Coordinates of all heavy atoms in Angstrom, one line a residue:
M15 N -17.3 22.5 -6.7 CA -16.3 22.5 -7.7 C -15.1 22.0 -7.3 O -14.6 22.0 -6.2 CB -16.1 24.0 -8.2 CG -15.1 24.1 -9.3 SD -15.1 25.7 -10.0 CE -15.9 25.5 -11.4
G16 N -14.4 21.2 -8.2 CA -13.2 20.5 -7.9 C -11.9 21.5 -7.9 O -12.1 22.6 -8.4
V17 N -10.9 21.0 -7.4 CA -9.7 21.8 -7.3 C -8.8 21.4 -8.4 O -8.5 20.1 -8.7 CB -8.9 21.7 -6.1 CG1 -7.7 22.3 -6.0 CG2 -9.9 22.2 -4.9
G18 N -8.3 22.2 -9.3 CA -7.5 21.9 -10.4 C -8.1 20.9 -11.5 O -9.3 21.2 -11.7
P19 N -7.4 19.9 -11.8 CA -8.1 19.0 -13.0 C -8.9 17.9 -12.3 O -9.5 17.2 -13.2 CB -6.8 18.3 -13.4 CG -5.8 18.3 -12.3 CD -6.0 19.6 -11.5
F20 N -9.3 18.0 -11.0 CA -10.1 17.0 -10.4 C -11.5 17.4 -10.3 O -11.8 18.5 -10.0 CB -9.5 16.6 -9.0 CG -8.1 16.2 -8.9 CD1 -7.1 17.0 -8.5 CD2 -7.9 14.9 -9.4 CE1 -5.8 16.5 -8.5 CE2 -6.5 14.4 -9.4 CZ -5.5 15.3 -8.9
P21 N -12.4 16.5 -10.6 CA -13.9 16.9 -10.6 C -14.3 17.0 -9.1 O -13.6 16.5 -8.2 CB -14.5 15.6 -11.2 CG -13.6 14.5 -11.0 CD -12.2 15.2 -11.1
P22 N -15.4 17.5 -8.8 CA -15.8 17.6 -7.4 C -16.1 16.3 -6.8 O -16.3 15.3 -7.5 CB -17.2 18.3 -7.6 CG -17.4 18.6 -9.0 CD -16.3 18.1 -9.7
R23 N -15.7 16.1 -5.5 CA -15.9 14.8 -4.8 C -17.4 14.5 -4.7 O -18.1 15.4 -4.3 CB -15.3 14.8 -3.4 CG -13.7 15.0 -3.7 CD -13.2 14.9 -2.3 NE -12.5 13.6 -2.2 CZ -11.8 13.2 -1.2 NH1 -11.7 14.0 -0.1 NH2 -11.2 12.0 -1.1
P24 N -17.9 13.3 -4.9 CA -19.3 13.0 -4.7 C -19.5 13.0 -3.1 O -18.6 12.6 -2.3 CB -19.5 11.7 -5.4 CG -18.0 11.0 -5.4 CD -17.1 12.2 -5.5
A25 N -20.6 13.1 -2.7 CA -21.1 12.9 -1.3 C -20.7 11.5 -0.8 O -20.7 10.5 -1.7 CB -22.6 13.1 -1.1
P26 N -20.3 11.3 0.5 CA -19.9 10.0 0.9 C -20.9 8.8 0.5 O -20.5 7.7 0.3 CB -19.7 10.2 2.4 CG -19.4 11.7 2.5 CD -20.2 12.3 1.4
G27 N -22.1 9.2 0.8 CA -23.1 8.1 0.5 C -23.2 7.7 -1.0 O -23.4 6.5 -1.4
R28 N -23.0 8.7 -1.8 CA -23.0 8.4 -3.3 C -21.7 7.6 -3.7 O -21.8 6.8 -4.5 CB -23.0 9.8 -4.1 CG -22.9 9.6 -5.6 CD -24.3 9.2 -6.2 NE -24.2 7.8 -6.6 CZ -25.1 7.0 -6.8 NH1 -26.3 7.4 -6.5 NH2 -24.9 5.8 -7.2
Q29 N -20.6 8.1 -3.0 CA -19.4 7.3 -3.3 C -19.4 5.9 -2.8 O -18.9 5.0 -3.7 CB -18.2 8.0 -2.5 CG -16.8 7.7 -2.9 CD -15.8 8.8 -2.3 OE1 -16.1 9.2 -1.2 NE2 -14.7 8.9 -3.0
L30 N -20.1 5.6 -1.7 CA -20.2 4.3 -1.2 C -21.1 3.4 -2.2 O -20.7 2.3 -2.5 CB -20.7 4.2 0.3 CG -20.9 2.8 0.8 CD1 -19.6 2.1 0.9 CD2 -21.5 3.0 2.3
A31 N -22.2 4.0 -2.6 CA -23.1 3.4 -3.7 C -22.4 3.1 -4.9 O -22.7 2.0 -5.5 CB -24.3 4.2 -3.8
D32 N -21.6 4.1 -5.4 CA -20.9 3.8 -6.6 C -19.9 2.7 -6.5 O -19.7 1.8 -7.4 CB -20.2 5.1 -7.1 CG -21.0 6.1 -7.5 OD1 -22.3 5.8 -7.7 OD2 -20.6 7.3 -7.7
H33 N -19.2 2.6 -5.4 CA -18.2 1.5 -5.1 C -19.0 0.1 -5.0 O -18.5 -0.8 -5.6 CB -17.4 1.8 -3.9 CG -16.3 0.9 -3.6 ND1 -15.1 0.9 -4.2 CD2 -16.4 -0.3 -2.7 CE1 -14.4 -0.2 -3.7 NE2 -15.2 -0.8 -2.8
A34 N -20.0 0.2 -4.3 CA -20.8 -1.1 -4.2 C -21.2 -1.5 -5.5 O -21.3 -2.7 -5.9 CB -21.9 -0.9 -3.3
A35 N -21.7 -0.6 -6.4 CA -22.2 -1.0 -7.8 C -21.1 -1.6 -8.6 O -21.3 -2.6 -9.3 CB -22.8 0.2 -8.4
L36 N -19.9 -0.9 -8.5 CA -18.6 -1.4 -9.2 C -18.3 -2.8 -8.7 O -18.0 -3.7 -9.6 CB -17.5 -0.4 -9.1 CG -16.2 -0.9 -9.6 CD1 -16.3 -1.0 -11.1 CD2 -15.1 0.2 -9.3
E37 N -18.3 -3.0 -7.4 CA -18.0 -4.4 -6.9 C -18.9 -5.4 -7.3 O -18.6 -6.5 -7.6 CB -17.9 -4.3 -5.4 CG -17.3 -5.5 -4.7 CD -17.2 -5.2 -3.2 OE1 -16.5 -4.3 -2.7 OE2 -17.7 -5.9 -2.4
R38 N -20.3 -4.9 -7.3 CA -21.3 -6.0 -7.8 C -21.1 -6.2 -9.2 O -21.2 -7.5 -9.6 CB -22.7 -5.4 -7.4 CG -23.8 -6.3 -7.7 CD -25.1 -5.6 -7.2 NE -25.3 -4.2 -7.5 CZ -25.2 -3.2 -6.6 NH1 -24.9 -3.5 -5.4 NH2 -25.4 -2.0 -7.0
D39 N -20.8 -5.3 -10.0 CA -20.6 -5.5 -11.5 C -19.4 -6.5 -11.8 O -19.4 -7.3 -12.6 CB -20.4 -4.3 -12.3 CG -21.8 -3.4 -12.4 OD1 -22.9 -4.0 -12.0 OD2 -21.7 -2.2 -12.8
L40 N -18.3 -6.1 -11.0 CA -17.1 -6.9 -11.1 C -17.4 -8.4 -10.7 O -17.0 -9.4 -11.3 CB -16.0 -6.3 -10.4 CG -14.6 -7.1 -10.5 CD1 -14.1 -7.2 -11.9 CD2 -13.6 -6.2 -9.7
A41 N -18.2 -8.6 -9.6 CA -18.4 -9.9 -9.2 C -19.4 -10.6 -10.2 O -19.0 -11.9 -10.5 CB -19.2 -9.8 -7.8
D42 N -20.2 -10.0 -10.8 CA -21.1 -10.6 -11.8 C -20.2 -11.0 -13.1 O -20.3 -12.1 -13.6 CB -22.1 -9.5 -12.3 CG -23.3 -9.4 -11.3 OD1 -23.4 -10.1 -10.3 OD2 -23.9 -8.4 -11.4
A43 N -19.3 -10.2 -13.5 CA -18.4 -10.6 -14.5 C -17.5 -11.7 -14.2 O -17.3 -12.6 -15.0 CB -17.4 -9.3 -14.9
I44 N -17.0 -11.8 -12.9 CA -16.2 -12.9 -12.6 C -17.1 -14.2 -12.5 O -16.7 -15.1 -12.9 CB -15.6 -12.6 -11.2 CG1 -14.6 -11.5 -11.3 CG2 -15.0 -13.9 -10.5 CD1 -14.1 -11.0 -9.9
A45 N -18.3 -14.1 -12.0 CA -19.1 -15.3 -11.8 C -19.5 -15.8 -13.3 O -19.8 -17.1 -13.4 CB -20.4 -14.9 -11.1
A46 N -19.5 -14.9 -14.3 CA -19.9 -15.4 -15.6 C -18.7 -16.1 -16.3 O -19.0 -16.7 -17.3 CB -20.3 -14.3 -16.4
R47 N -17.5 -16.0 -15.8 CA -16.4 -16.7 -16.5 C -16.3 -18.1 -15.9 O -16.5 -18.3 -14.8 CB -15.1 -15.9 -16.1 CG -15.0 -14.5 -16.6 CD -13.7 -13.8 -16.1 NE -12.6 -14.7 -16.8 CZ -11.5 -14.1 -17.0 NH1 -11.3 -12.9 -16.9 NH2 -10.5 -14.8 -17.5
P48 N -15.8 -18.9 -16.9 CA -15.6 -20.4 -16.5 C -14.4 -20.4 -15.5 O -13.4 -19.6 -15.7 CB -15.3 -21.2 -17.7 CG -14.9 -20.0 -18.7 CD -15.5 -18.8 -18.3
G49 N -14.3 -21.3 -14.6 CA -13.2 -21.3 -13.7 C -13.5 -22.2 -12.5 O -14.7 -22.8 -12.4
P50 N -12.5 -22.3 -11.6 CA -12.7 -23.0 -10.4 C -13.8 -22.5 -9.5 O -14.0 -21.2 -9.4 CB -11.5 -23.0 -9.7 CG -10.7 -21.8 -10.2 CD -11.3 -21.6 -11.6
G51 N -14.6 -23.3 -8.9 CA -15.6 -22.9 -7.9 C -16.7 -22.1 -8.6 O -16.5 -21.1 -9.2
S52 N -17.9 -22.7 -8.4 CA -19.0 -22.0 -9.0 C -20.0 -21.5 -8.0 O -21.0 -21.1 -8.1 CB -19.9 -23.0 -9.8 OG -20.2 -24.2 -9.1
G53 N -19.5 -21.3 -6.7 CA -20.4 -20.8 -5.6 C -20.6 -19.5 -5.6 O -19.8 -18.7 -6.4
A54 N -21.5 -18.8 -4.9 CA -21.8 -17.5 -4.9 C -20.7 -16.6 -4.2 O -20.6 -15.4 -4.4 CB -23.2 -17.3 -4.3
V55 N -19.9 -17.3 -3.3 CA -19.0 -16.4 -2.5 C -17.8 -16.0 -3.2 O -17.3 -15.0 -3.1 CB -18.6 -17.3 -1.2 CG1 -17.5 -16.5 -0.4 CG2 -19.9 -17.5 -0.4
R56 N -17.2 -16.9 -4.0 CA -16.0 -16.7 -4.7 C -15.9 -15.4 -5.5 O -15.0 -14.6 -5.3 CB -15.6 -18.0 -5.6 CG -14.3 -17.8 -6.3 CD -13.8 -19.0 -6.8 NE -12.5 -18.9 -7.7 CZ -11.2 -18.8 -7.2 NH1 -11.2 -19.0 -5.8 NH2 -10.2 -18.6 -7.9
P57 N -16.9 -15.3 -6.4 CA -16.9 -14.0 -7.1 C -16.9 -12.7 -6.3 O -16.3 -11.8 -6.7 CB -18.0 -14.1 -8.1 CG -18.4 -15.6 -8.2 CD -17.9 -16.1 -6.8
V58 N -17.7 -12.9 -5.3 CA -17.8 -11.6 -4.3 C -16.5 -11.4 -3.7 O -16.0 -10.1 -3.6 CB -19.0 -11.8 -3.4 CG1 -19.1 -10.7 -2.3 CG2 -20.3 -11.9 -4.1
V59 N -16.0 -12.4 -3.2 CA -14.6 -12.2 -2.5 C -13.5 -11.7 -3.5 O -12.7 -10.7 -3.1 CB -14.1 -13.6 -1.8 CG1 -12.7 -13.5 -1.2 CG2 -15.1 -14.0 -0.7
L60 N -13.4 -12.3 -4.7 CA -12.4 -11.9 -5.6 C -12.6 -10.4 -6.0 O -11.7 -9.7 -6.1 CB -12.4 -12.8 -6.9 CG -11.9 -14.2 -6.6 CD1 -12.2 -15.0 -7.9 CD2 -10.6 -14.2 -6.1
A61 N -13.8 -10.0 -6.2 CA -14.1 -8.6 -6.6 C -13.7 -7.7 -5.6 O -13.0 -6.7 -5.7 CB -15.6 -8.4 -6.9
A62 N -13.9 -8.0 -4.3 CA -13.6 -7.2 -3.2 C -12.2 -7.2 -2.9 O -11.6 -6.1 -2.7 CB -14.4 -7.6 -1.9
A63 N -11.6 -8.2 -3.0 CA -10.1 -8.4 -2.8 C -9.3 -7.4 -3.9 O -8.4 -6.8 -3.6 CB -9.6 -9.8 -2.8
F64 N -9.8 -7.6 -5.3 CA -9.2 -6.9 -6.3 C -9.3 -5.4 -6.0 O -8.3 -4.6 -6.1 CB -9.7 -7.3 -7.6 CG -9.2 -6.6 -8.8 CD1 -7.9 -6.8 -9.2 CD2 -9.9 -5.5 -9.3 CE1 -7.3 -6.2 -10.4 CE2 -9.4 -4.9 -10.4 CZ -8.0 -5.2 -10.9
L65 N -10.5 -5.0 -5.7 CA -10.6 -3.4 -5.6 C -10.1 -3.1 -4.4 O -9.4 -1.9 -4.4 CB -12.1 -3.1 -5.6 CG -13.0 -3.4 -6.8 CD1 -14.5 -3.3 -6.7 CD2 -12.5 -2.5 -7.9
S66 N -10.0 -3.8 -3.3 CA -9.1 -3.4 -2.1 C -7.7 -3.3 -2.5 O -7.0 -2.4 -2.1 CB -9.4 -4.4 -0.9 OG -10.6 -4.3 -0.5
S67 N -7.2 -4.2 -3.3 CA -5.8 -4.2 -3.6 C -5.5 -3.0 -4.5 O -4.4 -2.4 -4.3 CB -5.5 -5.5 -4.5 OG -5.6 -6.6 -3.8
L68 N -6.3 -2.6 -5.4 CA -6.1 -1.3 -6.1 C -6.1 -0.1 -5.3 O -5.2 0.7 -5.5 CB -7.2 -1.2 -7.2 CG -7.2 -2.1 -8.5 CD1 -8.4 -1.8 -9.4 CD2 -5.8 -2.0 -9.1
R69 N -7.0 -0.1 -4.2 CA -6.9 1.1 -3.4 C -5.7 1.2 -2.6 O -4.9 2.2 -2.4 CB -8.1 0.9 -2.4 CG -8.3 2.1 -1.5 CD -9.3 2.0 -0.4 NE -9.3 0.7 0.3 CZ -8.4 0.4 1.2 NH1 -7.5 1.3 1.7 NH2 -8.4 -0.7 1.9
I70 N -5.3 0.0 -2.1 CA -3.9 -0.1 -1.3 C -2.8 0.3 -2.3 O -2.0 1.1 -1.8 CB -3.7 -1.5 -0.8 CG1 -4.8 -1.8 0.3 CG2 -2.3 -1.7 -0.2 CD1 -4.9 -3.3 0.6
A71 N -2.7 -0.3 -3.5 CA -1.7 0.0 -4.4 C -1.5 1.5 -4.7 O -0.4 2.2 -4.7 CB -1.8 -0.7 -5.6
M72 N -2.7 2.2 -5.1 CA -2.8 3.6 -5.3 C -2.2 4.4 -4.1 O -1.6 5.4 -4.2 CB -4.1 4.0 -5.8 CG -4.5 3.4 -7.2 SD -3.3 3.9 -8.6 CE -2.1 2.6 -8.5
R73 N -2.7 3.9 -2.9 CA -2.2 4.8 -1.7 C -0.7 4.6 -1.6 O -0.1 5.6 -1.3 CB -2.9 4.2 -0.4 CG -2.6 5.1 0.8 CD -3.1 4.6 2.0 NE -2.2 3.4 2.5 CZ -2.6 2.3 2.9 NH1 -3.8 2.0 3.0 NH2 -1.7 1.4 3.2
M74 N -0.2 3.3 -1.7 CA 1.3 3.2 -1.6 C 2.0 4.0 -2.7 O 3.0 4.5 -2.4 CB 1.6 1.7 -1.8 CG 1.2 0.8 -0.7 SD 1.4 -0.8 -0.9 CE 3.3 -1.0 -1.2
W75 N 1.5 4.0 -3.9 CA 2.1 4.7 -5.0 C 2.2 6.2 -4.7 O 3.3 6.8 -4.9 CB 1.3 4.5 -6.4 CG 1.7 5.1 -7.5 CD1 3.0 5.0 -8.2 CD2 1.1 6.2 -8.3 NE1 3.0 5.8 -9.3 CE2 1.9 6.4 -9.4 CE3 -0.1 6.7 -8.1 CZ2 1.5 7.4 -10.3 CZ3 -0.5 7.6 -9.0 CH2 0.4 8.0 -10.1
M76 N 1.2 6.8 -4.2 CA 1.2 8.2 -3.8 C 2.1 8.5 -2.7 O 2.8 9.4 -2.6 CB -0.2 8.7 -3.5 CG -1.1 8.9 -4.8 SD -2.7 9.5 -4.5 CE -3.5 8.3 -3.6
E77 N 2.2 7.6 -1.6 CA 3.0 7.6 -0.5 C 4.5 7.6 -0.9 O 5.3 8.1 -0.2 CB 2.7 6.7 0.6 CG 1.4 7.0 1.4 CD 0.9 6.0 2.3 OE1 1.6 4.8 2.4 OE2 -0.1 6.2 3.0
E78 N 4.8 6.8 -1.9 CA 6.2 6.6 -2.5 C 6.5 7.9 -3.3 O 7.6 7.7 -4.0 CB 6.4 5.4 -3.3 CG 6.1 4.2 -2.4 CD 6.1 2.9 -3.3 OE1 6.3 2.8 -4.5 OE2 6.1 1.8 -2.7
D79 N 5.8 8.8 -3.4 CA 6.0 10.0 -4.3 C 6.1 9.7 -5.7 O 7.1 10.1 -6.4 CB 7.1 10.8 -3.8 CG 7.0 11.5 -2.4 OD1 5.7 11.9 -2.2 OD2 7.8 11.6 -1.7
L80 N 5.3 8.6 -6.1 CA 5.3 8.2 -7.5 C 6.6 7.6 -8.0 O 6.9 7.8 -9.3 CB 4.7 9.4 -8.4 CG 3.6 10.3 -7.9 CD1 3.3 11.3 -8.9 CD2 2.5 9.4 -7.4
A81 N 7.4 7.0 -7.2 CA 8.8 6.6 -7.6 C 8.8 5.5 -8.5 O 9.7 5.3 -9.3 CB 9.5 6.2 -6.3
R82 N 7.7 4.7 -8.5 CA 7.6 3.5 -9.4 C 6.4 3.8 -10.3 O 5.5 4.7 -10.0 CB 7.5 2.2 -8.7 CG 8.7 1.9 -7.7 CD 8.4 0.5 -7.1 NE 7.4 0.6 -6.0 CZ 6.9 -0.5 -5.5 NH1 7.2 -1.7 -5.9 NH2 6.1 -0.5 -4.5
S83 N 6.2 2.9 -11.3 CA 4.9 3.0 -12.0 C 3.8 2.5 -11.2 O 4.0 1.6 -10.4 CB 5.1 2.3 -13.4 OG 5.0 0.9 -13.2
P84 N 2.6 2.9 -11.5 CA 1.4 2.3 -10.8 C 1.2 0.8 -11.0 O 1.0 0.2 -10.1 CB 0.2 3.1 -11.4 CG 0.8 4.3 -11.9 CD 2.2 4.0 -12.4
G85 N 1.6 0.4 -12.2 CA 1.5 -1.0 -12.7 C 2.4 -1.9 -11.8 O 2.1 -3.0 -11.3
E86 N 3.7 -1.3 -11.5 CA 4.6 -2.2 -10.6 C 4.0 -2.3 -9.2 O 4.0 -3.3 -8.5 CB 5.9 -1.4 -10.4 CG 6.8 -1.4 -11.8 CD 7.9 -0.7 -11.6 OE1 7.9 0.6 -11.6 OE2 9.1 -1.3 -11.4
V87 N 3.4 -1.2 -8.6 CA 2.9 -1.3 -7.3 C 1.6 -2.2 -7.4 O 1.5 -3.0 -6.4 CB 2.5 0.2 -6.8 CG1 2.0 0.1 -5.4 CG2 3.7 1.0 -7.0
I88 N 0.8 -2.1 -8.2 CA -0.3 -2.9 -8.3 C 0.0 -4.4 -8.4 O -0.5 -5.2 -7.8 CB -1.3 -2.5 -9.6 CG1 -1.9 -1.2 -9.4 CG2 -2.3 -3.7 -9.9 CD1 -2.6 -0.6 -10.6
D89 N 1.0 -4.7 -9.2 CA 1.5 -6.1 -9.4 C 2.0 -6.5 -8.0 O 1.8 -7.8 -7.6 CB 2.6 -6.3 -10.4 CG 2.1 -6.1 -11.9 OD1 0.9 -6.3 -12.1 OD2 2.9 -6.0 -12.8
E90 N 2.8 -5.7 -7.4 CA 3.4 -6.1 -6.0 C 2.2 -6.5 -5.2 O 2.2 -7.5 -4.4 CB 4.2 -5.1 -5.4 CG 4.8 -5.4 -4.1 CD 5.6 -4.2 -3.5 OE1 5.8 -3.2 -4.2 OE2 5.9 -4.5 -2.4
V91 N 1.2 -5.7 -5.0 CA 0.1 -5.8 -4.1 C -0.7 -7.1 -4.4 O -1.1 -7.8 -3.7 CB -0.8 -4.5 -4.0 CG1 -2.1 -4.8 -3.2 CG2 0.0 -3.4 -3.4
L92 N -1.0 -7.3 -5.7 CA -1.8 -8.4 -6.1 C -1.0 -9.6 -6.0 O -1.6 -10.7 -5.6 CB -2.2 -8.2 -7.7 CG -3.3 -7.2 -7.9 CD1 -3.5 -7.1 -9.4 CD2 -4.6 -7.6 -7.2
D93 N 0.2 -9.6 -6.1 CA 1.1 -10.8 -5.9 C 1.0 -11.2 -4.4 O 0.9 -12.3 -4.0 CB 2.5 -10.6 -6.1 CG 2.9 -10.6 -7.7 OD1 2.0 -11.1 -8.3 OD2 4.0 -10.2 -8.0
E94 N 1.0 -10.2 -3.5 CA 0.9 -10.4 -2.0 C -0.4 -10.9 -1.6 O -0.6 -11.8 -0.9 CB 1.2 -9.2 -1.3 CG 1.3 -9.3 0.2 CD 2.3 -10.2 0.7 OE1 3.5 -10.3 0.0 OE2 2.1 -10.9 1.8
M95 N -1.5 -10.3 -2.4 CA -2.9 -10.8 -2.1 C -3.0 -12.3 -2.5 O -3.7 -13.1 -1.8 CB -3.9 -10.0 -2.8 CG -5.4 -10.4 -2.7 SD -5.9 -10.1 -0.9 CE -6.2 -8.4 -0.8
G96 N -2.3 -12.6 -3.6 CA -2.4 -14.0 -4.1 C -1.8 -15.0 -3.2 O -1.9 -16.3 -3.3
R97 N -0.8 -14.5 -2.4 CA -0.3 -15.5 -1.4 C -1.1 -16.0 -0.3 O -0.7 -17.1 0.3 CB 1.1 -14.8 -0.8 CG 2.2 -14.5 -1.7 CD 3.2 -13.6 -1.0 NE 3.5 -14.1 0.3 CZ 4.8 -14.0 0.7 NH1 5.7 -13.6 0.0 NH2 5.0 -14.5 1.9
G98 N -2.2 -15.4 -0.1 CA -3.2 -15.9 0.9 C -2.8 -15.4 2.4 O -1.6 -14.8 2.6
F99 N -3.4 -16.0 3.3 CA -3.2 -15.6 4.7 C -2.5 -16.7 5.6 O -2.5 -16.6 6.8 CB -4.5 -15.1 5.3 CG -5.2 -13.9 4.6 CD1 -6.1 -14.1 3.8 CD2 -4.6 -12.8 4.8 CE1 -6.7 -13.0 3.0 CE2 -5.1 -11.6 4.2 CZ -6.1 -11.7 3.2
G100 N -2.2 -17.7 4.9 CA -1.7 -18.9 5.7 C -0.3 -18.8 5.9 O 0.5 -18.1 5.7

């Protein structure tokens, strides 16, 4: 049983499978859209980068004691991700 308004946590294996399914569905949706690069790698990388960015942003938001809106933190993290690694 969950604590407070939160549902029970799924088992780690189930959580990983759910995350993988979400990432796969997102990659499929990205691949179906017209745009640059039609290779198989780009949609997978974009889906993984986006979901990682959301996870990072939510962790930062909580660590900041909810001082900003989640959207502001997500935008900041996605902007940083868009800058690349160069």
Side-chain angles (χ1 to χ4, degrees):
M15 178 171 254
V17 176
F20 301 105
R23 295 182 107 177
R28 178 77 252 154
Q29 198 171 23
L30 183 58
D32 289 345
H33 183 80
L36 175 60
E37 190 172 302
R38 189 172 41 254
D39 290 347
L40 184 55
D42 289 345
I44 293 168
R47 295 180 60 151
S52 58
V55 173
R56 183 174 173 80
V58 174
V59 170
L60 290 176
F64 177 74
L65 292 175
S66 293
S67 295
L68 285 181
R69 182 186 53 78
I70 292 165
M72 291 298 90
R73 188 190 76 225
M74 288 175 60
W75 179 63
M76 288 185 291
E77 289 173 355
E78 293 175 357
D79 293 326
L80 320 179
R82 300 185 283 165
S83 75
E86 287 177 285
V87 183
I88 292 168
D89 285 346
E90 178 184 358
V91 173
L92 289 174
D93 286 347
E94 188 61 34
M95 183 62 80
R97 290 172 45 142
F99 299 100

